[in-house]
Amino acid sequence: MEFSIKSGSPEKQRSACVVVGVFEPRKLTLSAELLDNAARNHISDIIRRGDMEGKVGSTLLLHNVPGTLCDRVLLIGLGKEKEFGDKEYCEAVHSAVRTLNETGSFDGTVFLTETAVRKRSAAWRVRQAAMVAQQTVYRFDQFKSKKDKVRRPLRKLTFVIDRRNELTAAEAALSQGQAIAEGVALAKDLANLPANVCTPTHLADTAQKMAAEHKLDYQILERDEMTGLGMHSLLAVAKGSHQAPKLIVLQHKGGKSDEKPVVLVGKGITFDTGGISLKPAAEMDEMKYDMCGAASVLGALKAVAMLKLPLNLTVIVPAVENMPGGAATRPGDIVTSMSGQTIEILNTDAEGRLILCDALTYAARFDPETVIDVATLTGACVVALGHVASGLFANNEALARELLHCGDEAHDRAWQMPLWNDYQELLKSPFADMANVGGRWGGSITAACFLARFTRKYTWAHLDIAGTAWKSGTEKGATGRPVPLLVHYLLKRTGKLN
Ligand code: BES
Ligand code: MN
Ligand code: ZN
């Protein structure tokens, strides 16, 4: 889809459709009022008859509105004016774009970006609108032999801002929104692929293509090299699978050469059967999503590369399949991680931490400013936070606060959980330096505590996205989270946010 920004009045737009908002109950926004004035109360008459209350996301499409230059007018409900916040705004834009796409408008001129949203700037509204628009038209139909095509899909969206002097900031926000949306789409595409297609090798190939397209430094460590480095924890997970493990490293060098990089590490289990500690059959197909951490850090990197952000960003993806083959690791096996610490693998289904710990040890080589890992790490995190917030853990309070704030601003929220030493005791092993599981209670915390033992050398945060990375049920599909949070954080670091 093509996007542009302008300022102007709604009745003067030559467009297939002009989109304006209506608050509940039946209160016109400023742009809706301008249209109504030009149309000699045509719109307020219709609304008074009770055709539109203004509930969030509700729609009313009007044809032949007098006094205007557009083919149609689309009214979008915004809910109560006092309650109009991030969620309501995104829902309104989503509903507008869906309706435009389904009703054969080739282009749309959207005035929703003019309406004030609590605590948010005009740039925020534009950035968010571009993202939501792209996500609304996202489809994953590459395996459908008959695609249900939209007859005349929406091709062009114009967002209107009320002040000309905001144009430059809005243009920048628009590119940012588009780049984040591209990153989200990449993350969704990779995650939605079935595990027979999206293997560790496929992730490595994708990374290589990204490197060529965006001029990134690229390196893949194969099994032999990982053996040489002593990554026996990661390799223990790979043993039961016929798929070769890969450690993918991509670097965007947009900053000064002496500037320390931010390192993002993404869990890339392309399928998690549980290994010998086999998972139950129900919904096991969803374990193709166990590489959503990997997909999200690649998505974030894509956005950063598209925007050519002036910072150094390193992305590390340990990519492994967790299968119960004849050579698979057994419960009770003890391995030595790259850090030298030994691990008793009591449960082969706690494999995410086993590949991450070696990737996190490897991350120290890049002399990082900050390391953030992203992982569909624990079912316990879903129990704790449901599908709304990602779990956030950090060994540095300032970093935790910053990420929480970015999640809030990007409408991709996280919630902090404790990393107190009191929980470390649960990882005691009678035979090795630690066990890979900490028992039934506080599962997402003990998983994070395990990782914390490998990240003492740098400032580190961990995002458990088990509940937020994909949706189950009839709407099954990847969400692309936390790409918006991560890119927001990186944009903020470079001072590029308005
Ligand atoms: N990938 C899973 C976590 C997961 C499960 C995410 C369900 C989303 C939905 C992870 O590898 C896993 O299996 N974790 C175990 C850990 C346990 C064995 C300590 C879990 O959460 O049950
Ligand atoms: Mn598992
Ligand atoms: Zn897993």
Side-chain angles (χ1 to χ4, degrees):
M1 206 173 356
E2 233 183 89
F3 293 97
S4 60
I5 306 266
K6 64 151 77 166
S7 64
S9 31
E11 73 281 6
K12 293 190 185 131
Q13 305 301 319
R14 285 184 197 284
S15 166
C17 191
V18 163
V19 183
V20 294
V22 177
F23 285 116
E24 197 180 347
R26 308 182 208 170
K27 180 173 183 290
L28 301 185
T29 52
L30 193 63
S31 42
E33 217 169 282
L34 288 175
L35 268 185
D36 191 45
N37 292 344
R40 299 225 197 82
N41 302 333
H42 182 78
I43 297 175
S44 45
D45 283 347
I46 290 175
I47 286 184
R48 202 167 322 113
R49 272 183 246 138
D51 288 41
M52 169 115 184
E53 269 311 306
K55 290 228 181 314
V56 186
S58 60
T59 61
L60 184 64
L61 189 62
L62 307 174
H63 292 261
N64 309 320
V65 175
T68 64
L69 298 178
C70 54
D71 301 339
R72 313 171 179 80
V73 169
L74 176 60
L75 304 182
I76 299 288
L78 305 179
K80 301 212 171 75
E81 189 166 10
K82 268 199 195 137
E83 292 166 13
F84 193 60
D86 296 3
K87 182 168 181 286
E88 292 73 21
Y89 176 77
C90 293
E91 255 178 74
V93 174
H94 170 76
S95 163
V97 173
R98 199 190 49 214
T99 310
L100 287 171
N101 199 36
E102 283 169 1
T103 55
S105 294
F106 176 80
D107 69 302
T109 305
V110 177
F111 281 79
L112 301 177
T113 35
E114 276 194 356
T115 308
V117 180
R118 215 185 316 124
K119 293 196 301 187
R120 307 301 185 209
S121 62
W124 183 93
R125 298 193 302 257
V126 169
R127 189 165 51 238
Q128 216 60 25
M131 278 169 54
V132 172
Q134 289 283 27
Q135 293 183 36
T136 304
V137 298
Y138 175 86
R139 296 283 178 281
F140 185 78
D141 55 10
Q142 53 182 284
F143 296 97
K144 294 264 191 199
S145 36
K146 282 202 198 89
K147 329 228 181 252
D148 28 327
K149 278 238 171 65
V150 175
R151 201 167 43 86
R152 278 192 304 166
L154 178 63
R155 284 280 152 72
K156 196 170 176 311
L157 266 184
T158 303
F159 297 125
V160 184
I161 53 165
D162 46 352
R163 294 205 203 102
R164 286 208 151 269
N165 61 8
E166 283 171 342
L167 219 55
T168 321
E171 299 272 4
L174 181 63
S175 328
Q176 292 168 0
Q178 281 179 276
I180 298 168
E182 290 279 333
V184 166
L186 171 66
K188 284 185 181 179
D189 279 345
L190 283 173
N192 284 329
L193 284 174
N196 61 329
V197 176
C198 188
T199 57
T201 303
H202 179 82
L203 285 179
D205 292 347
T206 305
Q208 186 168 18
K209 284 193 192 114
M210 278 178 70
E213 192 183 337
H214 298 287
K215 301 200 176 65
L216 308 167
D217 287 11
Y218 158 88
Q219 191 191 2
I220 301 283
L221 302 189
E222 305 289 342
R223 195 195 304 263
D224 289 350
E225 289 152 285
M226 291 190 265
T227 308
L229 286 164
M231 296 185 168
H232 303 295
S233 180
L234 183 155
L235 292 167
V237 179
K239 278 171 70 184
S241 170
H242 291 296
Q243 295 295 334
K246 308 273 175 180
L247 189 83
I248 305 164
V249 181
L250 285 174
Q251 288 179 279
H252 164 84
K253 293 185 170 163
K256 298 201 181 78
S257 59
D258 61 345
E259 199 178 297
K260 292 182 172 190
V262 171
V263 178
L264 298 178
V265 180
K267 172 178 172 183
I269 293 291
T270 58
F271 197 82
D272 183 10
T273 62
I276 297 301
S277 313
L278 194 63
K279 286 184 179 295
E283 279 115 52
M284 206 209 276
D285 66 289
E286 295 189 7
M287 283 299 115
K288 72 173 183 179
Y289 289 121
D290 213 17
M291 38 58 73
C292 280
S296 74
V297 296
L298 291 172
L301 175 62
K302 170 146 195 171
V304 165
M306 283 178 71
L307 293 168
K308 299 195 166 60
L309 289 191
L311 63 85
N312 295 328
L313 176 65
T314 301
V315 159
I316 304 178
V317 170
V320 184
E321 188 181 51
N322 188 21
M323 296 285 274
T329 294
R330 296 149 288 257
D333 284 3
I334 296 177
V335 295
T336 305
S337 66
M338 185 184 173
S339 72
Q341 300 177 92
T342 58
I343 305 165
E344 184 185 16
I345 302 177
L346 288 175
N347 189 321
T348 63
D349 197 11
E351 84 299 338
R353 62 199 80 180
L354 295 176
I355 66 167
L356 286 170
C357 69
D358 280 341
L360 288 165
T361 301
Y362 191 70
R365 302 200 153 199
F366 299 95
D367 190 18
E369 163 72 35
T370 302
V371 178
I372 304 171
D373 80 74
V374 186
T376 49
L377 203 61
T378 64
C381 190
V382 194
V383 174
L385 298 173
H387 302 290
V388 178
S390 303
L392 170 70
F393 300 82
N395 64 9
N396 176 291
E397 273 313 300
L399 176 61
R401 266 199 305 279
E402 182 64 8
L403 287 169
L404 288 174
H405 177 72
C406 289
D408 179 59
E409 288 221 306
H411 196 51
D412 180 8
R413 285 168 296 182
W415 193 256
Q416 192 178 2
M417 310 267 276
L419 249 190
W420 300 321
N421 275 334
D422 310 54
Y423 293 98
Q424 287 287 359
E425 290 169 25
L426 298 168
L427 292 171
K428 276 191 184 145
S429 155
F431 307 117
D433 297 343
M434 69 193 89
N436 78 325
V437 291
R440 192 154 169 210
W441 309 115
S444 70
I445 303 172
T446 48
C449 283
F450 180 94
L451 298 179
R453 295 176 179 227
F454 300 84
T455 58
R456 296 212 172 100
K457 290 192 183 139
Y458 46 70
T459 305
W460 161 76
H462 157 61
L463 285 163
D464 193 333
I465 58 166
T468 53
W470 77 91
K471 288 185 179 150
S472 311
T474 49
E475 280 182 85
K476 190 184 283 183
T479 61
R481 290 178 67 182
V483 172
L485 185 164
L486 294 171
V487 181
H488 198 91
Y489 168 76
L490 297 166
L491 277 168
K492 193 142 181 269
R493 284 187 73 98
T494 55
K496 300 269 177 199
L497 283 176
N498 276 296

PDB file of all heavy atoms in Angstrom, residues 240-258:
ATOM      1  N   GLY A 240      18.496 -34.405  18.747  1.00  0.00           N
ATOM      2  CA  GLY A 240      17.400 -35.297  18.374  1.00  0.00           C
ATOM      3  C   GLY A 240      16.820 -35.024  16.995  1.00  0.00           C
ATOM      4  O   GLY A 240      15.906 -35.724  16.551  1.00  0.00           O
ATOM      5  N   SER A 241      17.338 -34.021  16.304  1.00  0.00           N
ATOM      6  CA  SER A 241      16.748 -33.611  15.027  1.00  0.00           C
ATOM      7  C   SER A 241      17.678 -33.891  13.852  1.00  0.00           C
ATOM      8  O   SER A 241      18.904 -33.900  13.999  1.00  0.00           O
ATOM      9  CB  SER A 241      16.448 -32.110  15.068  1.00  0.00           C
ATOM     10  OG  SER A 241      16.105 -31.646  13.789  1.00  0.00           O
ATOM     11  N   HIS A 242      17.057 -34.104  12.670  1.00  0.00           N
ATOM     12  CA  HIS A 242      17.858 -34.230  11.452  1.00  0.00           C
ATOM     13  C   HIS A 242      18.228 -32.865  10.895  1.00  0.00           C
ATOM     14  O   HIS A 242      19.034 -32.757   9.987  1.00  0.00           O
ATOM     15  CB  HIS A 242      17.098 -35.029  10.391  1.00  0.00           C
ATOM     16  CG  HIS A 242      16.934 -36.471  10.756  1.00  0.00           C
ATOM     17  ND1 HIS A 242      18.010 -37.330  10.890  1.00  0.00           N
ATOM     18  CD2 HIS A 242      15.838 -37.198  11.042  1.00  0.00           C
ATOM     19  CE1 HIS A 242      17.577 -38.531  11.231  1.00  0.00           C
ATOM     20  NE2 HIS A 242      16.243 -38.480  11.343  1.00  0.00           N
ATOM     21  N   GLN A 243      17.585 -31.817  11.398  1.00  0.00           N
ATOM     22  CA  GLN A 243      17.874 -30.468  10.912  1.00  0.00           C
ATOM     23  C   GLN A 243      19.162 -29.938  11.538  1.00  0.00           C
ATOM     24  O   GLN A 243      19.319 -29.975  12.764  1.00  0.00           O
ATOM     25  CB  GLN A 243      16.718 -29.511  11.258  1.00  0.00           C
ATOM     26  CG  GLN A 243      15.406 -29.829  10.564  1.00  0.00           C
ATOM     27  CD  GLN A 243      15.492 -29.653   9.055  1.00  0.00           C
ATOM     28  OE1 GLN A 243      16.295 -28.879   8.543  1.00  0.00           O
ATOM     29  NE2 GLN A 243      14.669 -30.404   8.348  1.00  0.00           N
ATOM     30  N   ALA A 244      20.039 -29.423  10.685  1.00  0.00           N
ATOM     31  CA  ALA A 244      21.302 -28.874  11.192  1.00  0.00           C
ATOM     32  C   ALA A 244      21.042 -27.576  11.950  1.00  0.00           C
ATOM     33  O   ALA A 244      20.298 -26.725  11.471  1.00  0.00           O
ATOM     34  CB  ALA A 244      22.243 -28.608  10.025  1.00  0.00           C
ATOM     35  N   PRO A 245      21.644 -27.435  13.151  1.00  0.00           N
ATOM     36  CA  PRO A 245      21.482 -26.177  13.893  1.00  0.00           C
ATOM     37  C   PRO A 245      22.313 -25.061  13.251  1.00  0.00           C
ATOM     38  O   PRO A 245      23.330 -25.341  12.616  1.00  0.00           O
ATOM     39  CB  PRO A 245      22.046 -26.526  15.275  1.00  0.00           C
ATOM     40  CG  PRO A 245      23.069 -27.581  15.006  1.00  0.00           C
ATOM     41  CD  PRO A 245      22.547 -28.385  13.843  1.00  0.00           C
ATOM     42  N   LYS A 246      21.841 -23.845  13.425  1.00  0.00           N
ATOM     43  CA  LYS A 246      22.576 -22.690  12.873  1.00  0.00           C
ATOM     44  C   LYS A 246      22.636 -21.609  13.935  1.00  0.00           C
ATOM     45  O   LYS A 246      21.630 -21.373  14.634  1.00  0.00           O
ATOM     46  CB  LYS A 246      21.846 -22.105  11.655  1.00  0.00           C
ATOM     47  CG  LYS A 246      21.500 -23.111  10.570  1.00  0.00           C
ATOM     48  CD  LYS A 246      22.639 -23.291   9.604  1.00  0.00           C
ATOM     49  CE  LYS A 246      22.326 -24.393   8.603  1.00  0.00           C
ATOM     50  NZ  LYS A 246      23.405 -24.615   7.647  1.00  0.00           N
ATOM     51  N   LEU A 247      23.748 -20.936  14.033  1.00  0.00           N
ATOM     52  CA  LEU A 247      23.786 -19.724  14.849  1.00  0.00           C
ATOM     53  C   LEU A 247      23.984 -18.550  13.891  1.00  0.00           C
ATOM     54  O   LEU A 247      25.016 -18.430  13.238  1.00  0.00           O
ATOM     55  CB  LEU A 247      24.898 -19.765  15.889  1.00  0.00           C
ATOM     56  CG  LEU A 247      24.784 -18.591  16.872  1.00  0.00           C
ATOM     57  CD1 LEU A 247      23.787 -18.893  17.983  1.00  0.00           C
ATOM     58  CD2 LEU A 247      26.128 -18.235  17.490  1.00  0.00           C
ATOM     59  N   ILE A 248      22.941 -17.743  13.786  1.00  0.00           N
ATOM     60  CA  ILE A 248      22.923 -16.666  12.795  1.00  0.00           C
ATOM     61  C   ILE A 248      23.322 -15.349  13.445  1.00  0.00           C
ATOM     62  O   ILE A 248      22.814 -15.010  14.516  1.00  0.00           O
ATOM     63  CB  ILE A 248      21.498 -16.532  12.202  1.00  0.00           C
ATOM     64  CG1 ILE A 248      21.041 -17.877  11.633  1.00  0.00           C
ATOM     65  CG2 ILE A 248      21.430 -15.422  11.173  1.00  0.00           C
ATOM     66  CD1 ILE A 248      19.543 -17.954  11.377  1.00  0.00           C
ATOM     67  N   VAL A 249      24.227 -14.632  12.800  1.00  0.00           N
ATOM     68  CA  VAL A 249      24.618 -13.313  13.307  1.00  0.00           C
ATOM     69  C   VAL A 249      24.509 -12.293  12.186  1.00  0.00           C
ATOM     70  O   VAL A 249      25.081 -12.471  11.115  1.00  0.00           O
ATOM     71  CB  VAL A 249      26.067 -13.307  13.848  1.00  0.00           C
ATOM     72  CG1 VAL A 249      26.423 -11.923  14.389  1.00  0.00           C
ATOM     73  CG2 VAL A 249      26.248 -14.367  14.919  1.00  0.00           C
ATOM     74  N   LEU A 250      23.738 -11.241  12.402  1.00  0.00           N
ATOM     75  CA  LEU A 250      23.604 -10.156  11.421  1.00  0.00           C
ATOM     76  C   LEU A 250      23.964  -8.848  12.114  1.00  0.00           C
ATOM     77  O   LEU A 250      23.591  -8.638  13.268  1.00  0.00           O
ATOM     78  CB  LEU A 250      22.161 -10.055  10.916  1.00  0.00           C
ATOM     79  CG  LEU A 250      21.660 -11.100   9.926  1.00  0.00           C
ATOM     80  CD1 LEU A 250      20.175 -10.902   9.670  1.00  0.00           C
ATOM     81  CD2 LEU A 250      22.442 -11.037   8.632  1.00  0.00           C
ATOM     82  N   GLN A 251      24.667  -7.986  11.399  1.00  0.00           N
ATOM     83  CA  GLN A 251      25.051  -6.713  12.007  1.00  0.00           C
ATOM     84  C   GLN A 251      24.725  -5.526  11.116  1.00  0.00           C
ATOM     85  O   GLN A 251      25.137  -5.472   9.954  1.00  0.00           O
ATOM     86  CB  GLN A 251      26.552  -6.714  12.310  1.00  0.00           C
ATOM     87  CG  GLN A 251      26.905  -7.618  13.474  1.00  0.00           C
ATOM     88  CD  GLN A 251      28.382  -7.612  13.742  1.00  0.00           C
ATOM     89  OE1 GLN A 251      29.148  -8.300  13.074  1.00  0.00           O
ATOM     90  NE2 GLN A 251      28.791  -6.811  14.720  1.00  0.00           N
ATOM     91  N   HIS A 252      23.999  -4.599  11.685  1.00  0.00           N
ATOM     92  CA  HIS A 252      23.734  -3.313  11.025  1.00  0.00           C
ATOM     93  C   HIS A 252      24.696  -2.314  11.639  1.00  0.00           C
ATOM     94  O   HIS A 252      24.660  -2.083  12.850  1.00  0.00           O
ATOM     95  CB  HIS A 252      22.273  -2.904  11.278  1.00  0.00           C
ATOM     96  CG  HIS A 252      21.976  -1.461  11.004  1.00  0.00           C
ATOM     97  ND1 HIS A 252      21.683  -0.983   9.749  1.00  0.00           N
ATOM     98  CD2 HIS A 252      21.939  -0.380  11.832  1.00  0.00           C
ATOM     99  CE1 HIS A 252      21.456   0.328   9.814  1.00  0.00           C
ATOM    100  NE2 HIS A 252      21.607   0.716  11.066  1.00  0.00           N
ATOM    101  N   LYS A 253      25.568  -1.751  10.795  1.00  0.00           N
ATOM    102  CA  LYS A 253      26.567  -0.826  11.338  1.00  0.00           C
ATOM    103  C   LYS A 253      26.254   0.590  10.899  1.00  0.00           C
ATOM    104  O   LYS A 253      26.907   1.149  10.026  1.00  0.00           O
ATOM    105  CB  LYS A 253      27.961  -1.269  10.900  1.00  0.00           C
ATOM    106  CG  LYS A 253      28.344  -2.600  11.537  1.00  0.00           C
ATOM    107  CD  LYS A 253      29.754  -3.017  11.223  1.00  0.00           C
ATOM    108  CE  LYS A 253      30.163  -4.205  12.083  1.00  0.00           C
ATOM    109  NZ  LYS A 253      31.351  -4.899  11.548  1.00  0.00           N
ATOM    110  N   GLY A 254      25.236   1.150  11.528  1.00  0.00           N
ATOM    111  CA  GLY A 254      24.810   2.501  11.166  1.00  0.00           C
ATOM    112  C   GLY A 254      25.426   3.561  12.066  1.00  0.00           C
ATOM    113  O   GLY A 254      25.328   4.753  11.790  1.00  0.00           O
ATOM    114  N   GLY A 255      26.044   3.138  13.162  1.00  0.00           N
ATOM    115  CA  GLY A 255      26.616   4.087  14.120  1.00  0.00           C
ATOM    116  C   GLY A 255      28.107   4.278  13.898  1.00  0.00           C
ATOM    117  O   GLY A 255      28.687   3.733  12.954  1.00  0.00           O
ATOM    118  N   LYS A 256      28.721   5.034  14.769  1.00  0.00           N
ATOM    119  CA  LYS A 256      30.182   5.227  14.703  1.00  0.00           C
ATOM    120  C   LYS A 256      30.860   3.889  14.966  1.00  0.00           C
ATOM    121  O   LYS A 256      30.323   3.047  15.681  1.00  0.00           O
ATOM    122  CB  LYS A 256      30.616   6.247  15.753  1.00  0.00           C
ATOM    123  CG  LYS A 256      29.995   7.623  15.539  1.00  0.00           C
ATOM    124  CD  LYS A 256      30.835   8.691  16.251  1.00  0.00           C
ATOM    125  CE  LYS A 256      30.223  10.058  16.064  1.00  0.00           C
ATOM    126  NZ  LYS A 256      29.053  10.259  16.979  1.00  0.00           N
ATOM    127  N   SER A 257      32.081   3.737  14.396  1.00  0.00           N
ATOM    128  CA  SER A 257      32.725   2.424  14.475  1.00  0.00           C
ATOM    129  C   SER A 257      33.100   2.067  15.921  1.00  0.00           C
ATOM    130  O   SER A 257      33.198   0.892  16.261  1.00  0.00           O
ATOM    131  CB  SER A 257      33.947   2.384  13.570  1.00  0.00           C
ATOM    132  OG  SER A 257      34.842   3.392  13.958  1.00  0.00           O
ATOM    133  N   ASP A 258      33.286   3.070  16.781  1.00  0.00           N
ATOM    134  CA  ASP A 258      33.656   2.755  18.166  1.00  0.00           C
ATOM    135  C   ASP A 258      32.446   2.702  19.103  1.00  0.00           C
ATOM    136  O   ASP A 258      32.591   2.553  20.314  1.00  0.00           O
ATOM    137  CB  ASP A 258      34.676   3.780  18.681  1.00  0.00           C
ATOM    138  CG  ASP A 258      34.111   5.192  18.689  1.00  0.00           C
ATOM    139  OD1 ASP A 258      33.055   5.415  18.047  1.00  0.00           O
ATOM    140  OD2 ASP A 258      34.707   6.071  19.331  1.00  0.00           O
TER     141      ASP A 258
END
